[in-house]
Amino acid sequence: MTKRAIRYLVLGVAAATAIATSVTLAATPDAAAVVEQGQGQAQRSAQGNANGQGPQLVCGTRDLDDATADAVEDYTRRILQKSPSGFLTSSRVIPVFVHVIHSANGSGGVVTSQQINAQMSVLNEAFAGSSFSFTLAGVTNTNNDAWYTAGPNTNAERQMKTALRQGGSNTLNIYSNNMGGGLLGWATFPSSYASKPLMDGVVILYSSLPGGSAAPYNQGDTGTHEVGHWMGLYHTFQGGCANPKKNGSGDFVSDTAAERSPAFGCPVGRDTCTGARFPGLDPIENFMDYTDDSCMDRFSAGQYARMDAQWTAYR
């Protein structure tokens, strides 16, 4: 049996638990937050369904402008030239702490241990072609209404991470909550660790874990996508078609085809950057696009190389 087949067996079992817990949400004091998020999802679903693409939820990790991205690349090269053998840690086994945030009465945002284990399996499968692996180091559960709906760059996010983050530069902290706003998650980049170590980590929508209710984003690849950012990867559509993939511009990976805009659903054959300068179809199967979880199944060799360089420089 393939890893993919095992993953889907796990999802089926976890889904029953997720459905049971979702029934409780409507009666909780934080139901307004759930309804607000549901309305945002409904609007995106209507738009996505009109295009034959399904619901459209997005990543909250902001794309860097060209000047900032270039500056980060220049700085990374200087670090690697000075310390090519490693900056902070050489281990490629990444300890993971999962912080499950619930509403104040404890009923919202329920994530089971089975779902967490399935998420770890999804990560290890997705990154199997790299030199990295992930091991669960611990799980915390916290009841806090403000943190339960915390979004990116908010006081609630800062308070949550300051209170809960564990480990050093090589430790992955994953926070699950009910962020709303049409977001599936967000992450920090490796280059941000030195200046803001307590903010380092990944936040994901609790219902995006394997077996959750955020279909078609409920097979765990929101986690894969956001951990990709945490490992130093940009969106495949960063830079669009404005610049050809010369010297690694755009997402700074030469073997991911240029893409004008994010793809939703699973639009096979999509090609938004055409002409001799832009060979290849849009990389809709890549984990760093916005397609459905069932559509995503790969990182490229160039992305693996970028992860290695970013880890050596910053982790």
Side-chain angles (χ1 to χ4, degrees):
M1 184 177 291
T2 65
K3 289 183 180 179
R4 200 78 176 178
I6 293 171
R7 171 177 165 186
Y8 286 132
L9 285 177
V10 173
L11 297 182
V13 176
T17 304
I19 292 170
T21 58
S22 67
V23 175
T24 312
L25 285 174
T28 65
D30 61 328
V34 177
V35 171
E36 180 180 357
Q37 181 187 0
Q39 290 171 342
Q41 290 182 7
Q43 292 169 356
R44 289 170 176 79
S45 296
Q47 178 186 0
N49 290 334
N51 297 329
Q53 296 176 331
Q56 294 186 3
L57 303 182
V58 299
C59 166
T61 306
R62 300 176 64 179
D63 292 335
L64 303 182
D65 60 75
D66 290 344
T68 302
D70 288 343
V72 170
E73 296 309 302
D74 289 341
Y75 184 66
T76 303
R77 280 191 287 270
R78 291 199 298 272
I79 290 176
L80 293 174
Q81 288 170 357
K82 292 179 179 179
S83 182
S85 62
F87 184 55
L88 297 178
T89 179
S90 59
S91 175
R92 296 312 202 246
V93 179
I94 301 173
V96 181
F97 287 91
V98 177
H99 307 286
V100 182
I101 311 301
H102 308 275
S103 54
N105 64 6
S107 61
V110 174
V111 173
T112 67
S113 59
Q114 188 176 25
Q115 286 179 282
I116 293 172
N117 290 332
Q119 181 67 70
M120 296 298 299
S121 296
V122 168
L123 289 177
N124 279 310
E125 178 184 346
F127 288 84
S130 73
S131 59
F132 300 96
S133 63
F134 303 86
T135 182
L136 186 62
V139 178
T140 68
N141 285 270
T142 304
N143 300 348
N144 186 304
D145 278 341
W147 299 357
Y148 180 55
T149 56
N153 303 310
T154 60
N155 287 333
E157 180 199 12
R158 190 174 302 106
Q159 293 165 1
M160 173 181 72
K161 290 182 174 181
T162 300
L164 298 177
R165 193 187 187 284
Q166 300 187 47
S169 62
N170 66 320
T171 304
L172 172 60
N173 282 254
I174 298 177
Y175 307 82
S176 71
N177 74 353
N178 194 32
M179 61 199 67
L183 296 180
L184 283 166
W186 70 92
T188 58
F189 293 114
S191 55
S192 300
Y193 179 81
S195 61
K196 297 181 179 179
L198 289 178
M199 296 301 290
D200 184 71
V202 164
V203 185
I204 58 176
L205 182 66
Y206 81 94
S207 53
S208 73
L209 272 78
S213 59
Y217 310 109
N218 62 342
Q219 295 180 14
D221 284 325
T222 291
T224 305
H225 178 102
E226 300 303 343
V227 173
H229 285 312
W230 187 80
M231 297 292 292
L233 301 183
Y234 299 140
H235 292 131
T236 52
F237 48 84
Q238 179 163 309
C241 307
N243 298 302
K245 291 297 186 81
K246 182 179 180 181
N247 298 325
S249 59
D251 64 352
F252 293 90
V253 176
S254 61
D255 62 354
T256 56
E259 187 176 21
R260 183 178 299 278
S261 60
F264 294 91
C266 194
V268 176
R270 184 178 190 254
D271 190 6
T272 55
C273 296
T274 59
R277 294 193 308 157
F278 303 107
L281 300 175
D282 291 358
I284 64 167
E285 301 93 351
N286 195 280
F287 289 119
M288 301 313 294
D289 207 338
Y290 277 3
T291 49
D292 296 350
D293 282 13
S294 60
C295 191
M296 299 177 167
D297 63 6
R298 69 195 66 175
F299 291 114
S300 72
Q303 287 174 317
Y304 289 139
R306 181 174 176 81
M307 292 179 203
D308 283 334
Q310 292 281 307
W311 184 271
T312 301
Y314 299 109
R315 296 287 183 197

